[in-house]
Coordinates of all heavy atoms in Angstrom, one line a residue:
M99 N 14.3 6.8 -10.2 CA 13.1 6.4 -10.9 C 12.4 5.2 -10.2 O 11.2 5.2 -10.3 CB 13.4 6.1 -12.5 CG 12.2 5.8 -13.2 SD 11.1 7.2 -13.3 CE 9.9 6.7 -14.5
P100 N 13.2 4.3 -9.7 CA 12.5 3.2 -9.2 C 11.6 3.5 -8.0 O 10.6 2.9 -7.7 CB 13.6 2.2 -8.6 CG 14.9 2.7 -9.2 CD 14.6 4.2 -9.7
Y101 N 12.1 4.6 -7.3 CA 11.2 5.0 -6.1 C 9.9 5.7 -6.5 O 9.0 5.6 -5.9 CB 12.0 6.0 -5.1 CG 13.1 5.2 -4.5 CD1 14.4 5.4 -4.9 CD2 12.8 4.4 -3.5 CE1 15.5 4.7 -4.3 CE2 13.9 3.8 -2.8 CZ 15.1 3.9 -3.3 OH 16.2 3.2 -2.5
V102 N 10.0 6.2 -7.7 CA 8.7 6.8 -8.3 C 7.8 5.7 -8.7 O 6.6 5.8 -8.4 CB 9.0 7.8 -9.5 CG1 7.7 8.2 -10.2 CG2 9.8 8.9 -9.1
L103 N 8.3 4.6 -9.3 CA 7.5 3.4 -9.7 C 6.9 2.9 -8.3 O 5.8 2.5 -8.3 CB 8.3 2.4 -10.4 CG 9.0 2.9 -11.7 CD1 9.9 1.9 -12.3 CD2 7.8 3.2 -12.6
L104 N 7.7 2.7 -7.3 CA 7.2 2.1 -6.1 C 6.1 3.1 -5.5 O 5.0 2.6 -5.0 CB 8.4 2.1 -5.1 CG 8.0 1.6 -3.7 CD1 7.4 0.2 -3.8 CD2 9.3 1.5 -2.7
A105 N 6.3 4.3 -5.6 CA 5.2 5.3 -5.0 C 3.9 5.0 -5.8 O 2.8 5.0 -5.3 CB 5.6 6.7 -5.2
F106 N 4.0 4.9 -7.1 CA 2.8 4.6 -8.0 C 2.1 3.3 -7.6 O 1.0 3.1 -7.4 CB 3.1 4.6 -9.4 CG 3.2 6.0 -10.0 CD1 4.3 6.4 -10.8 CD2 2.2 7.1 -9.8 CE1 4.4 7.6 -11.5 CE2 2.3 8.2 -10.4 CZ 3.4 8.6 -11.2
A107 N 3.0 2.3 -7.4 CA 2.5 1.0 -6.9 C 1.8 1.1 -5.6 O 0.7 0.5 -5.5 CB 3.7 0.0 -6.8
I108 N 2.4 1.8 -4.6 CA 1.6 2.0 -3.3 C 0.3 2.8 -3.6 O -0.7 2.4 -3.0 CB 2.6 2.7 -2.3 CG1 3.7 1.8 -2.0 CG2 1.8 3.1 -1.1 CD1 4.9 2.6 -1.4
A109 N 0.3 3.8 -4.4 CA -0.9 4.6 -4.6 C -2.0 3.7 -5.2 O -3.2 3.7 -4.7 CB -0.6 5.7 -5.4
F110 N -1.7 2.9 -6.2 CA -2.7 2.1 -6.9 C -3.1 1.0 -5.9 O -4.3 0.6 -6.0 CB -2.1 1.6 -8.2 CG -2.2 2.6 -9.3 CD1 -1.1 3.2 -9.6 CD2 -3.4 2.8 -9.9 CE1 -1.2 4.2 -10.7 CE2 -3.6 3.7 -10.9 CZ -2.5 4.5 -11.4
E111 N -2.2 0.5 -5.0 CA -2.7 -0.6 -4.2 C -3.7 0.0 -3.1 O -4.6 -0.6 -2.7 CB -1.3 -1.1 -3.5 CG -1.7 -2.4 -2.6 CD -2.0 -2.0 -1.2 OE1 -1.4 -1.0 -0.7 OE2 -2.6 -2.8 -0.4
V112 N -3.3 1.2 -2.5 CA -4.2 1.7 -1.5 C -5.6 2.1 -2.2 O -6.6 1.8 -1.6 CB -3.6 3.0 -0.9 CG1 -4.5 3.9 -0.1 CG2 -2.4 2.7 -0.1
T113 N -5.6 2.7 -3.4 CA -6.7 2.9 -4.1 C -7.7 1.7 -4.3 O -8.9 1.7 -4.0 CB -6.4 3.5 -5.5 OG1 -5.8 4.8 -5.3 CG2 -7.9 3.8 -6.3
A114 N -7.0 0.6 -4.7 CA -7.7 -0.6 -4.9 C -8.3 -1.2 -3.6 O -9.4 -1.7 -3.5 CB -6.8 -1.8 -5.6
T115 N -7.5 -1.2 -2.4 CA -8.0 -1.7 -1.2 C -9.2 -0.8 -0.7 O -10.2 -1.5 -0.3 CB -6.8 -1.5 -0.1 OG1 -5.7 -2.3 -0.7 CG2 -7.3 -2.1 1.2
L116 N -9.2 0.5 -0.8 CA -10.3 1.3 -0.4 C -11.5 1.2 -1.4 O -12.7 1.1 -0.9 CB -9.8 2.8 -0.5 CG -8.8 3.2 0.6 CD1 -8.3 4.7 0.4 CD2 -9.3 2.9 2.1
A117 N -11.2 0.9 -2.7 CA -12.4 0.6 -3.5 C -12.9 -0.8 -3.1 O -14.1 -0.9 -3.3 CB -11.8 0.5 -5.1
M118 N -12.1 -1.7 -2.7 CA -12.8 -3.0 -2.1 C -13.7 -2.8 -1.1 O -14.7 -3.4 -1.0 CB -11.6 -4.0 -1.8 CG -12.1 -5.4 -1.5 SD -10.8 -6.4 -0.9 CE -9.6 -6.3 -2.2
R119 N -13.3 -1.9 -0.2 CA -14.3 -1.6 1.0 C -15.6 -0.9 0.4 O -16.7 -1.3 0.8 CB -13.6 -0.6 1.9 CG -14.4 0.1 3.0 CD -14.7 -0.9 4.0 NE -15.1 -0.3 5.3 CZ -16.3 0.4 5.5 NH1 -17.2 0.3 4.6 NH2 -16.6 0.9 6.7
A120 N -15.4 -0.2 -0.6 CA -16.6 0.6 -1.2 C -17.4 -0.3 -2.1 O -18.5 0.0 -2.5 CB -16.1 1.8 -2.0
S121 N -16.8 -1.5 -2.5 CA -17.5 -2.3 -3.4 C -18.6 -3.2 -2.8 O -19.4 -3.9 -3.5 CB -16.6 -3.3 -4.1 OG -16.2 -4.5 -3.2
E122 N -18.7 -3.2 -1.4 CA -19.7 -3.9 -0.8 C -19.7 -5.4 -1.2 O -20.7 -5.9 -1.6 CB -21.2 -3.3 -1.0 CG -21.2 -1.9 -0.5 CD -22.6 -1.2 -0.7 OE1 -23.5 -1.9 -1.0 OE2 -22.6 0.0 -0.5
G123 N -18.6 -6.1 -0.8 CA -18.3 -7.4 -1.3 C -18.4 -7.7 -2.7 O -18.8 -8.7 -3.1
M124 N -17.8 -6.8 -3.5 CA -17.7 -6.9 -4.9 C -19.0 -7.0 -5.6 O -19.1 -7.5 -6.8 CB -16.8 -8.0 -5.2 CG -15.4 -8.0 -4.8 SD -14.4 -6.6 -5.2 CE -13.8 -7.3 -6.8
S125 N -20.0 -6.3 -4.9 CA -21.4 -6.3 -5.6 C -21.7 -5.1 -6.4 O -22.7 -5.0 -7.0 CB -22.4 -6.6 -4.4 OG -22.4 -5.5 -3.6
R126 N -20.8 -4.1 -6.2 CA -21.0 -2.9 -7.0 C -19.9 -2.8 -8.1 O -18.7 -2.9 -7.9 CB -20.9 -1.7 -6.0 CG -22.0 -1.6 -4.9 CD -21.8 -0.4 -4.1 NE -21.8 0.9 -4.8 CZ -21.1 2.0 -4.4 NH1 -20.3 1.9 -3.4 NH2 -21.2 3.0 -5.3
L127 N -20.5 -2.5 -9.2 CA -19.6 -2.7 -10.5 C -18.3 -1.7 -10.5 O -17.3 -2.1 -10.6 CB -20.4 -2.6 -11.8 CG -19.6 -2.7 -13.1 CD1 -19.0 -4.1 -13.2 CD2 -20.5 -2.5 -14.3
G128 N -18.7 -0.5 -10.3 CA -17.6 0.6 -10.5 C -16.4 0.3 -9.5 O -15.2 0.3 -9.9
P129 N -16.8 0.2 -8.2 CA -15.7 0.0 -7.2 C -14.9 -1.4 -7.6 O -13.8 -1.5 -7.4 CB -16.3 0.0 -5.9 CG -17.5 0.8 -6.1 CD -17.9 0.6 -7.5
S130 N -15.7 -2.3 -7.9 CA -15.1 -3.7 -8.2 C -14.2 -3.6 -9.4 O -13.1 -4.2 -9.4 CB -16.2 -4.6 -8.6 OG -17.1 -4.9 -7.5
V131 N -14.5 -3.0 -10.4 CA -13.6 -2.7 -11.5 C -12.3 -1.9 -11.0 O -11.2 -2.3 -11.5 CB -14.2 -1.9 -12.7 CG1 -13.3 -1.5 -13.7 CG2 -15.3 -2.8 -13.4
L132 N -12.5 -1.0 -10.2 CA -11.4 -0.2 -9.7 C -10.5 -1.2 -8.9 O -9.3 -1.0 -8.9 CB -11.9 0.9 -8.8 CG -10.8 2.0 -8.4 CD1 -10.1 2.6 -9.7 CD2 -11.5 3.2 -7.6
V133 N -11.1 -2.0 -8.1 CA -10.2 -3.1 -7.3 C -9.3 -3.8 -8.4 O -8.0 -3.9 -8.0 CB -11.2 -4.1 -6.5 CG1 -10.3 -5.2 -5.9 CG2 -11.9 -3.3 -5.5
V134 N -9.9 -4.5 -9.3 CA -9.1 -5.3 -10.2 C -8.1 -4.4 -10.9 O -6.9 -4.9 -11.0 CB -10.1 -6.1 -11.1 CG1 -9.3 -6.8 -12.2 CG2 -10.9 -7.0 -10.4
A135 N -8.5 -3.3 -11.5 CA -7.5 -2.5 -12.2 C -6.4 -1.9 -11.4 O -5.2 -2.0 -11.6 CB -8.3 -1.4 -12.9
G136 N -6.9 -1.5 -10.1 CA -5.8 -0.9 -9.2 C -4.8 -2.0 -8.7 O -3.6 -1.6 -8.7
Y137 N -5.2 -3.1 -8.4 CA -4.1 -4.2 -8.0 C -3.3 -4.6 -9.2 O -2.1 -4.6 -9.1 CB -4.8 -5.3 -7.5 CG -5.3 -5.2 -6.1 CD1 -6.5 -5.4 -5.7 CD2 -4.2 -4.8 -5.0 CE1 -6.9 -5.2 -4.3 CE2 -4.6 -4.6 -3.7 CZ -6.0 -4.9 -3.4 OH -6.4 -4.7 -2.0
L138 N -3.9 -4.7 -10.5 CA -3.1 -5.1 -11.6 C -2.1 -4.0 -11.9 O -0.9 -4.3 -12.0 CB -4.1 -5.2 -12.8 CG -3.3 -5.6 -14.1 CD1 -2.7 -6.9 -14.1 CD2 -4.3 -5.5 -15.3
I139 N -2.5 -2.7 -11.9 CA -1.5 -1.6 -12.2 C -0.5 -1.6 -11.0 O 0.7 -1.4 -11.3 CB -2.4 -0.3 -12.3 CG1 -3.2 -0.3 -13.5 CG2 -1.3 0.8 -12.4 CD1 -4.2 0.8 -13.7
S140 N -0.9 -1.8 -9.9 CA 0.1 -1.8 -8.6 C 1.1 -2.8 -8.8 O 2.3 -2.6 -8.6 CB -0.7 -2.0 -7.3 OG 0.1 -2.1 -6.3
F141 N 0.8 -3.9 -9.3 CA 1.7 -5.1 -9.4 C 2.7 -4.7 -10.6 O 3.9 -5.2 -10.5 CB 1.1 -6.3 -9.5 CG 0.4 -6.9 -8.2 CD1 -0.9 -7.4 -8.2 CD2 1.1 -6.8 -7.1 CE1 -1.4 -7.9 -7.0 CE2 0.5 -7.4 -5.9 CZ -0.7 -7.8 -5.8
V142 N 2.2 -4.2 -11.6 CA 3.0 -3.8 -12.7 C 4.1 -2.8 -12.2 O 5.3 -3.0 -12.5 CB 2.2 -3.3 -13.9 CG1 3.2 -2.7 -15.0 CG2 1.4 -4.5 -14.5
F143 N 3.7 -1.9 -11.6 CA 4.7 -0.8 -11.1 C 5.6 -1.4 -10.1 O 6.8 -1.1 -10.1 CB 4.0 0.4 -10.5 CG 3.4 1.4 -11.4 CD1 2.1 1.6 -11.5 CD2 4.3 2.2 -12.2 CE1 1.6 2.6 -12.4 CE2 3.8 3.0 -13.2 CZ 2.5 3.3 -13.2
M144 N 5.1 -2.3 -9.2 CA 6.0 -3.0 -8.3 C 7.0 -3.8 -9.0 O 8.2 -3.8 -8.7 CB 5.2 -3.9 -7.3 CG 6.0 -4.6 -6.2 SD 6.7 -3.5 -5.1 CE 6.4 -4.4 -3.7
A145 N 6.5 -4.6 -10.0 CA 7.4 -5.4 -10.7 C 8.6 -4.5 -11.4 O 9.8 -5.0 -11.4 CB 6.7 -6.2 -11.8
K146 N 8.3 -3.5 -12.0 CA 9.2 -2.6 -12.6 C 10.2 -2.0 -11.6 O 11.4 -1.9 -11.9 CB 8.5 -1.4 -13.3 CG 7.6 -1.8 -14.5 CD 8.4 -2.3 -15.7 CE 7.5 -2.5 -16.9 NZ 8.2 -3.1 -18.0
A147 N 9.7 -1.6 -10.5 CA 10.6 -1.0 -9.4 C 11.6 -2.2 -8.9 O 12.7 -1.9 -8.6 CB 9.7 -0.5 -8.1
L148 N 11.1 -3.4 -8.9 CA 12.0 -4.5 -8.4 C 13.1 -5.0 -9.3 O 13.9 -5.7 -9.0 CB 11.1 -5.7 -8.0 CG 10.4 -5.5 -6.7 CD1 9.4 -6.8 -6.6 CD2 11.2 -5.3 -5.5
T149 N 13.1 -4.3 -10.6 CA 14.3 -4.5 -11.5 C 15.5 -3.9 -10.9 O 16.5 -4.4 -11.5 CB 13.9 -4.1 -12.9 OG1 13.7 -2.7 -12.9 CG2 12.7 -4.8 -13.5
S150 N 15.4 -3.0 -10.1 CA 16.6 -2.3 -9.6 C 16.6 -2.1 -8.1 O 17.5 -1.5 -7.6 CB 16.9 -0.9 -10.3 OG 15.8 -0.2 -10.1
L151 N 15.7 -2.7 -7.5 CA 15.6 -2.6 -5.9 C 15.6 -3.9 -5.2 O 15.0 -4.9 -5.9 CB 14.5 -1.7 -5.5 CG 14.5 -0.3 -6.0 CD1 13.1 0.5 -5.7 CD2 15.6 0.6 -5.5
N152 N 16.1 -4.1 -4.0 CA 16.0 -5.4 -3.4 C 14.6 -5.6 -2.9 O 13.8 -4.7 -2.4 CB 16.8 -5.4 -2.1 CG 18.3 -5.3 -2.4 OD1 18.6 -5.8 -3.5 ND2 19.2 -4.7 -1.7
V153 N 14.0 -6.8 -3.0 CA 12.7 -7.2 -2.9 C 12.3 -7.1 -1.4 O 11.2 -6.6 -1.1 CB 12.4 -8.6 -3.4 CG1 13.1 -9.8 -2.6 CG2 10.9 -8.9 -3.4
G154 N 13.1 -7.5 -0.4 CA 12.7 -7.5 1.0 C 12.3 -6.2 1.5 O 11.1 -5.9 2.0
P155 N 13.3 -5.2 1.6 CA 13.0 -3.8 2.1 C 11.9 -3.1 1.3 O 11.0 -2.4 1.8 CB 14.3 -3.1 2.0 CG 15.3 -4.3 2.1 CD 14.7 -5.5 1.3
V156 N 11.9 -3.4 0.0 CA 10.9 -2.7 -0.9 C 9.5 -3.2 -0.6 O 8.6 -2.4 -0.6 CB 11.3 -2.7 -2.4 CG1 10.1 -2.3 -3.3 CG2 12.5 -1.9 -2.7
Y157 N 9.5 -4.5 -0.5 CA 8.0 -5.0 -0.1 C 7.7 -4.6 1.3 O 6.5 -4.4 1.5 CB 8.1 -6.6 -0.1 CG 6.8 -7.1 0.0 CD1 5.9 -7.0 -1.0 CD2 6.2 -7.6 1.2 CE1 4.5 -7.6 -0.9 CE2 5.0 -8.2 1.4 CZ 4.2 -8.2 0.4 OH 2.9 -8.7 0.6
A158 N 8.5 -4.4 2.2 CA 8.2 -3.8 3.5 C 7.7 -2.4 3.4 O 6.7 -2.1 4.1 CB 9.5 -3.9 4.4
I159 N 8.4 -1.6 2.5 CA 7.9 -0.3 2.4 C 6.5 -0.3 1.7 O 5.6 0.4 2.1 CB 8.9 0.5 1.4 CG1 10.3 0.7 2.2 CG2 8.3 1.9 1.0 CD1 11.4 1.2 1.3
W160 N 6.4 -1.1 0.6 CA 5.1 -1.2 -0.1 C 4.0 -1.6 0.9 O 2.9 -1.0 0.9 CB 5.2 -2.2 -1.2 CG 4.0 -2.3 -2.1 CD1 3.5 -1.4 -2.9 CD2 3.3 -3.5 -2.1 NE1 2.4 -2.0 -3.5 CE2 2.3 -3.3 -3.0 CE3 3.2 -4.8 -1.5 CZ2 1.2 -4.2 -3.3 CZ3 2.3 -5.7 -1.9 CH2 1.3 -5.3 -2.8
S161 N 4.2 -2.6 1.6 CA 3.0 -3.2 2.5 C 2.8 -2.2 3.6 O 1.7 -2.0 4.0 CB 3.5 -4.6 3.0 OG 4.7 -4.6 3.6
A162 N 3.9 -1.6 4.2 CA 3.7 -0.7 5.4 C 3.1 0.5 4.9 O 2.0 1.0 5.5 CB 5.0 -0.4 6.0
L163 N 3.4 1.2 3.8 CA 2.8 2.4 3.4 C 1.3 2.1 2.9 O 0.5 2.9 3.0 CB 3.7 3.2 2.5 CG 5.0 3.8 3.0 CD1 5.7 4.4 1.9 CD2 4.6 4.6 4.1
G164 N 1.2 0.9 2.4 CA -0.1 0.5 2.0 C -1.1 0.3 3.1 O -2.3 0.8 3.1
T165 N -0.6 -0.3 4.2 CA -1.3 -0.5 5.4 C -1.7 0.9 6.0 O -2.8 1.1 6.4 CB -0.5 -1.2 6.4 OG1 -0.3 -2.5 5.8 CG2 -1.3 -1.4 7.7
I166 N -0.8 1.8 6.1 CA -1.1 3.1 6.7 C -2.0 3.9 5.7 O -2.9 4.6 6.3 CB 0.3 3.7 7.0 CG1 1.0 3.1 8.2 CG2 0.0 5.4 7.4 CD1 2.4 3.5 8.3
G167 N -1.7 3.9 4.4 CA -2.6 4.4 3.5 C -4.1 4.1 3.6 O -5.0 4.8 3.6
A168 N -4.2 2.7 3.7 CA -5.5 2.1 3.9 C -6.2 2.5 5.2 O -7.4 2.8 5.3 CB -5.5 0.7 3.7
F169 N -5.4 2.6 6.3 CA -5.9 3.0 7.5 C -6.3 4.5 7.5 O -7.5 4.8 7.9 CB -4.8 2.9 8.5 CG -4.9 3.6 9.9 CD1 -6.0 3.3 10.7 CD2 -4.2 4.6 10.3 CE1 -6.3 4.0 11.9 CE2 -4.4 5.3 11.4 CZ -5.4 5.0 12.3
V170 N -5.6 5.3 7.0 CA -5.9 6.8 6.9 C -7.2 6.9 5.9 O -8.0 7.6 6.3 CB -4.8 7.6 6.4 CG1 -5.1 9.1 6.0 CG2 -3.7 7.6 7.4
G171 N -7.1 6.2 4.8 CA -8.3 6.2 3.9 C -9.6 5.8 4.5 O -10.6 6.4 4.3
G172 N -9.4 4.8 5.3 CA -10.6 4.2 6.0 C -11.2 5.2 7.0 O -12.4 5.4 7.0
V173 N -10.3 5.9 7.6 CA -10.8 7.0 8.6 C -11.4 8.1 7.8 O -12.5 8.6 8.1 CB -9.6 7.4 9.3 CG1 -9.9 8.7 10.3 CG2 -9.0 6.3 10.4
V174 N -10.7 8.6 6.7 CA -11.3 9.9 6.0 C -12.5 9.4 5.3 O -13.5 10.2 5.2 CB -10.2 10.3 5.1 CG1 -10.6 11.4 4.1 CG2 -8.9 10.9 5.9
L175 N -12.5 8.3 4.5 CA -13.5 8.0 3.5 C -14.8 7.3 4.1 O -15.9 7.5 3.7 CB -13.0 7.2 2.3 CG -12.0 8.0 1.4 CD1 -11.4 7.0 0.5 CD2 -12.6 9.2 0.9
F176 N -14.4 6.4 5.1 CA -15.5 5.6 5.7 C -15.8 5.9 7.1 O -16.4 5.0 7.7 CB -15.1 4.1 5.4 CG -14.9 3.8 4.0 CD1 -13.7 3.6 3.5 CD2 -16.0 3.8 3.1 CE1 -13.5 3.3 2.2 CE2 -15.7 3.5 1.7 CZ -14.5 3.4 1.2
D177 N -15.2 6.9 7.7 CA -15.4 7.2 9.0 C -15.1 6.2 10.1 O -15.8 5.9 11.0 CB -16.9 7.8 9.3 CG -17.1 8.6 10.5 OD1 -16.1 9.3 10.9 OD2 -18.1 8.7 11.0
E178 N -14.0 5.4 9.8 CA -13.6 4.4 10.7 C -13.0 5.0 11.8 O -12.4 6.0 11.8 CB -12.7 3.3 10.0 CG -13.5 2.7 8.8 CD -12.6 1.6 8.0 OE1 -11.3 1.7 8.3 OE2 -13.0 1.0 7.1
Q179 N -13.1 4.3 13.0 CA -12.6 4.8 14.3 C -11.0 4.7 14.3 O -10.5 3.8 13.9 CB -13.2 4.0 15.5 CG -14.7 4.3 15.5 CD -15.1 3.5 16.8 OE1 -14.5 2.9 17.5 NE2 -16.5 3.8 17.0
V180 N -10.4 5.6 15.0 CA -8.9 5.7 15.4 C -8.9 5.5 16.8 O -9.5 6.1 17.7 CB -8.4 7.1 15.0 CG1 -6.9 7.0 15.5 CG2 -8.7 7.5 13.6
R181 N -8.2 4.4 17.0 CA -8.0 4.0 18.5 C -6.5 4.0 18.8 O -5.6 3.9 18.0 CB -8.4 2.5 18.7 CG -10.0 2.4 18.5 CD -10.4 0.8 18.9 NE -11.8 0.8 18.9 CZ -12.5 0.5 17.8 NH1 -11.9 0.1 16.6 NH2 -13.8 0.4 17.7
P182 N -6.1 4.2 20.2 CA -4.7 4.3 20.5 C -3.9 3.1 20.0 O -2.8 3.3 19.6 CB -4.8 4.4 22.0 CG -6.0 5.1 22.3 CD -7.0 4.5 21.2
L183 N -4.4 2.0 20.2 CA -3.6 0.8 19.7 C -3.4 0.7 18.3 O -2.4 0.2 17.8 CB -4.4 -0.5 20.2 CG -4.1 -1.0 21.5 CD1 -4.9 -2.2 22.0 CD2 -2.6 -1.2 21.9
T184 N -4.4 1.2 17.6 CA -4.2 1.3 16.0 C -3.1 2.2 15.6 O -2.3 1.9 14.8 CB -5.6 1.8 15.4 OG1 -6.7 1.0 15.9 CG2 -5.5 1.6 13.8
I185 N -3.0 3.4 16.3 CA -1.9 4.2 16.1 C -0.6 3.6 16.6 O 0.4 3.8 15.8 CB -2.1 5.6 16.8 CG1 -3.4 6.3 16.2 CG2 -0.9 6.5 16.8 CD1 -3.9 7.6 16.9
A186 N -0.6 2.9 17.6 CA 0.6 2.3 18.0 C 1.1 1.3 17.0 O 2.3 1.1 16.7 CB 0.3 1.7 19.4
G187 N 0.1 0.6 16.5 CA 0.5 -0.5 15.5 C 1.1 0.2 14.2 O 2.0 -0.3 13.7
A188 N 0.5 1.4 13.8 CA 1.0 2.1 12.7 C 2.4 2.5 13.0 O 3.3 2.3 12.1 CB 0.2 3.2 12.3
V189 N 2.7 3.0 14.1 CA 4.1 3.4 14.4 C 5.0 2.1 14.4 O 6.2 2.2 13.9 CB 4.2 4.1 15.9 CG1 5.6 4.3 16.4 CG2 3.4 5.4 15.9
I190 N 4.7 1.1 15.0 CA 5.4 -0.1 15.0 C 5.7 -0.6 13.6 O 6.9 -1.0 13.2 CB 4.7 -1.3 15.8 CG1 4.8 -0.9 17.3 CG2 5.5 -2.6 15.5 CD1 3.9 -1.8 18.1
I191 N 4.7 -0.5 12.6 CA 5.0 -0.8 11.2 C 6.1 0.0 10.6 O 7.0 -0.5 9.9 CB 3.6 -0.8 10.5 CG1 2.7 -1.8 10.8 CG2 3.9 -0.7 8.9 CD1 1.3 -1.6 10.3
V192 N 6.0 1.3 10.9 CA 7.0 2.3 10.2 C 8.2 2.0 10.9 O 9.3 2.0 10.2 CB 6.5 3.8 10.5 CG1 7.6 4.7 10.2 CG2 5.3 4.1 9.7
L193 N 8.4 1.7 12.1 CA 9.7 1.4 12.7 C 10.3 0.1 12.2 O 11.5 0.0 12.0 CB 9.5 1.3 14.2 CG 9.3 2.6 15.1 CD1 9.0 2.3 16.5 CD2 10.5 3.6 14.8
G194 N 9.5 -0.8 11.8 CA 9.8 -2.0 11.3 C 10.5 -1.9 10.0 O 11.6 -2.4 9.5
V195 N 9.9 -1.0 9.1 CA 10.4 -0.7 7.8 C 11.8 0.0 7.9 O 12.8 -0.4 7.2 CB 9.4 0.2 7.0 CG1 10.0 0.8 5.8 CG2 8.2 -0.6 6.7
I196 N 11.9 0.9 8.9 CA 13.1 1.6 9.0 C 14.3 0.7 9.4 O 15.4 0.7 8.8 CB 13.0 2.7 10.1 CG1 12.1 3.8 9.6 CG2 14.4 3.1 10.6 CD1 11.7 4.9 10.7
V197 N 14.0 -0.3 10.3 CA 14.9 -1.3 10.8 C 15.3 -2.3 9.5 O 16.5 -2.5 9.3 CB 14.4 -2.2 12.0 CG1 15.3 -3.4 12.2 CG2 14.3 -1.3 13.2
M198 N 14.3 -2.6 8.8 CA 14.6 -3.5 7.6 C 15.6 -2.7 6.7 O 16.5 -3.4 6.1 CB 13.4 -3.9 6.8 CG 12.6 -5.1 7.5 SD 11.5 -5.8 6.4 CE 12.6 -6.6 5.2
N199 N 15.3 -1.5 6.4 CA 16.1 -0.8 5.5 C 17.6 -0.4 5.9 O 18.6 -0.4 5.3 CB 15.5 0.6 5.2 CG 14.4 0.4 4.0 OD1 14.7 0.0 2.9 ND2 13.2 0.5 4.4
L200 N 17.7 -0.3 7.3 CA 18.9 -0.2 8.0 C 19.8 -1.5 7.8 O 21.0 -1.5 7.6 CB 18.9 0.3 9.4 CG 18.4 1.7 9.7 CD1 18.1 1.9 11.2 CD2 19.4 2.7 9.1
G201 N 19.0 -2.5 7.9 CA 19.7 -3.8 7.8 C 20.1 -4.3 6.4 O 21.1 -4.9 6.2
G202 N 19.2 -3.9 5.5 CA 19.4 -4.5 4.1 C 19.5 -3.5 3.0 O 20.0 -3.8 1.9
G203 N 19.1 -2.3 3.3 CA 19.1 -1.2 2.1 C 18.2 -1.6 1.1 O 17.5 -2.7 1.1
V204 N 17.8 -0.7 0.2 CA 17.0 -1.0 -0.9 C 17.6 -1.0 -2.4 O 17.0 -1.4 -3.3 CB 15.8 0.0 -0.9 CG1 15.0 -0.2 0.3 CG2 16.3 1.5 -1.0
S205 N 18.8 -0.6 -2.4 CA 19.5 -0.6 -3.7 C 20.2 -2.0 -4.0 O 21.0 -2.4 -3.2 CB 20.5 0.5 -4.0 OG 19.7 1.8 -3.8
R206 N 20.0 -2.5 -5.2 CA 20.7 -3.7 -5.6 C 22.2 -3.3 -6.1 O 22.3 -2.3 -6.6 CB 20.1 -4.4 -6.7 CG 18.8 -5.1 -6.2 CD 18.0 -5.8 -7.2 NE 18.5 -6.2 -8.4 CZ 17.9 -6.9 -9.4 NH1 16.7 -7.1 -9.2 NH2 18.5 -7.2 -10.5
G207 N 23.1 -4.1 -5.6 CA 24.4 -3.7 -6.0 C 25.1 -4.3 -7.2 O 24.9 -4.8 -8.1

C-alpha cells in the first residue's frame, strides 16, 4: 500500500508542476488552483507513504519520477524540445535512484 500512496503522490506532483507551466505565472485561475491543490494532495500522500518507508530512497524515487514525468509532460503538452543531453540527464536520474535503493532500500525495519 505505501507504494500506491507514493505513486499517487508522484502523479499529483507532476500534475501540479505541469499546471504551473499552464498557469502563465499563476495568472490563470484554473491552472493556479490545480497547482495549489496538486501539491497539497501530493504532500499528504507522500507523508502517508513515509509512515512505513525510508525517507531518502523514497524521496529520490518521488523527485526522479516527478522530474521525468514533468519532462515527458512538457514534451507532450507544451511541445518542449527533446535534446540528447536531456535524455542523458533523465537516464542518470534513474540510475541514481537505482543506486540509492540498492544502498539503502525503501522498507523501514
Side-chain angles (χ1 to χ4, degrees):
M99 186 63 170
Y101 291 103
V102 173
L103 296 172
L104 179 59
F106 281 130
I108 294 165
F110 278 99
E111 187 266 336
V112 169
T113 300
T115 300
L116 294 171
M118 190 181 307
R119 169 74 158 79
S121 76
E122 297 178 12
M124 301 297 276
S125 65
R126 296 179 59 215
L127 181 61
S130 297
V131 169
L132 192 55
V133 169
V134 173
Y137 281 123
L138 179 65
I139 294 166
S140 176
F141 289 134
V142 169
F143 279 121
M144 178 70 137
K146 296 287 187 187
L148 287 172
T149 62
S150 59
L151 299 172
N152 291 333
V153 68
V156 167
Y157 188 75
I159 293 167
W160 181 71
S161 59
L163 293 180
T165 300
I166 292 169
F169 164 64
V170 171
V173 171
V174 171
L175 298 173
F176 303 110
D177 201 30
E178 295 177 356
Q179 293 183 356
V180 178
R181 295 184 174 95
L183 275 178
T184 311
I185 294 170
V189 169
I190 290 168
I191 289 168
V192 170
L193 291 174
V195 169
I196 292 168
V197 169
M198 278 199 74
N199 282 291
L200 289 174
V204 291
S205 296
R206 288 178 21 181

